[in-house]
Amino acid sequence: MLQTRPTMFAEVKIVVPTVFPDARGYFKEVYSQRSYAEIGIDATFVQDNVSLSHKGTLRGMHYDERMGKLVQCLRGRIFDVWVDMRAGSTTFKKWDSVELTGENHLQIYIPAGFAHGFYTLSDEAVVLYKQTALYDTRYERTVGWNDPSIGIAWPLDGAPLLSAKDGAA
């Protein structure tokens, strides 16, 4: 049975999946449309992506006003962040975060209208994203990871490793 934890945004949900450990390791269901609909995530996911990031990598802050995401760290540790980019929202440019790890199995559901990014805390991290819209550069938006009007308190250990796009945002 899935459980959720609240965030500062009613629409953003931390998902706690059921994990079945034994002497061999563990088993968990990473997604079931029926189970997620029961906890209020009635999204249709159309694309899955996986990223591998090295320690100190910062990916973000990206959003697409059409796209929601279900994010989980399969291996390693990340500091995961989301920012409300919905113009007119009472929480516009407010942010929240959670540490996702391969050991805590937490997932984060981030609906459309929120920017998303993460910082890699472990030597490597493998992150899985399920998306509710196909990636299309025409709709992608980027917000500066260090935008002072947002003020994300990243747990940086030196200068982050950034893509050219993220560095120029």
Side-chain angles (χ1 to χ4, degrees), residues 58-72:
L58 194 152
R59 295 183 184 266
M61 299 294 295
H62 309 137
Y63 71 105
D64 175 333
E65 293 177 352
R66 310 165 306 135
M67 183 187 299
K69 295 179 181 177
L70 180 65
V71 181
Q72 59 190 300

Side-chain angles (χ1 to χ4, degrees), residues 104-117:
N104 71 16
H105 304 281
L106 298 177
Q107 301 172 336
I108 187 77
Y109 175 68
I110 304 166
F114 286 80
H116 172 255

Side-chain angles (χ1 to χ4, degrees), residues 6-163:
T7 70
M8 75 175 296
F9 308 101
E11 307 88 346
V12 179
K13 298 176 188 274
I14 296 172
V15 179
V16 184
T18 302
V19 180
F20 301 95
D22 64 23
R24 302 166 296 168
Y26 68 83
F27 173 84
K28 70 177 175 182
E29 187 175 81
V30 296
Y31 177 74
S32 161
Q33 185 178 22
R34 180 183 63 220
S35 297
Y36 283 70
E38 289 172 358
I39 61 168
I41 301 173
D42 197 15
T44 301
F45 295 101
V46 297
Q47 183 173 328
D48 288 359
N49 302 308
V50 174
S51 69
L52 168 68
S53 300
H54 302 291
K55 186 173 186 164
T57 296
L58 194 152
R59 295 183 184 266
M61 299 294 295
H62 309 137
Y63 71 105
D64 175 333
E65 293 177 352
R66 310 165 306 135
M67 183 187 299
K69 295 179 181 177
L70 180 65
V71 181
Q72 59 190 300
C73 183
L74 300 176
R75 185 177 75 217
R77 294 175 46 233
I78 63 171
F79 178 78
D80 200 83
V81 179
W82 52 96
V83 178
D84 187 351
M85 296 307 297
R86 300 170 299 170
S89 168
T90 59
T91 55
F92 181 65
K93 288 194 173 182
K94 300 286 186 208
W95 66 275
D96 202 355
S97 66
V98 67
E99 186 173 305
L100 302 178
T101 75
E103 289 77 34
N104 71 16
H105 304 281
L106 298 177
Q107 301 172 336
I108 187 77
Y109 175 68
I110 304 166
F114 286 80
H116 172 255
F118 67 86
Y119 178 72
T120 307
L121 299 167
S122 54
D123 288 340
E124 286 187 337
V126 176
V127 177
L128 171 64
Y129 312 69
K130 296 181 81 55
Q131 299 178 175
T132 62
L134 297 173
Y135 174 75
D136 188 328
T137 57
R138 295 176 298 170
Y139 300 104
E140 183 180 38
R141 304 291 180 263
T142 306
V143 177
W145 65 273
N146 57 353
D147 184 323
S149 70
I150 298 171
I152 299 169
W154 296 100
L156 300 178
D157 184 17
L161 300 172
L162 300 166
S163 69

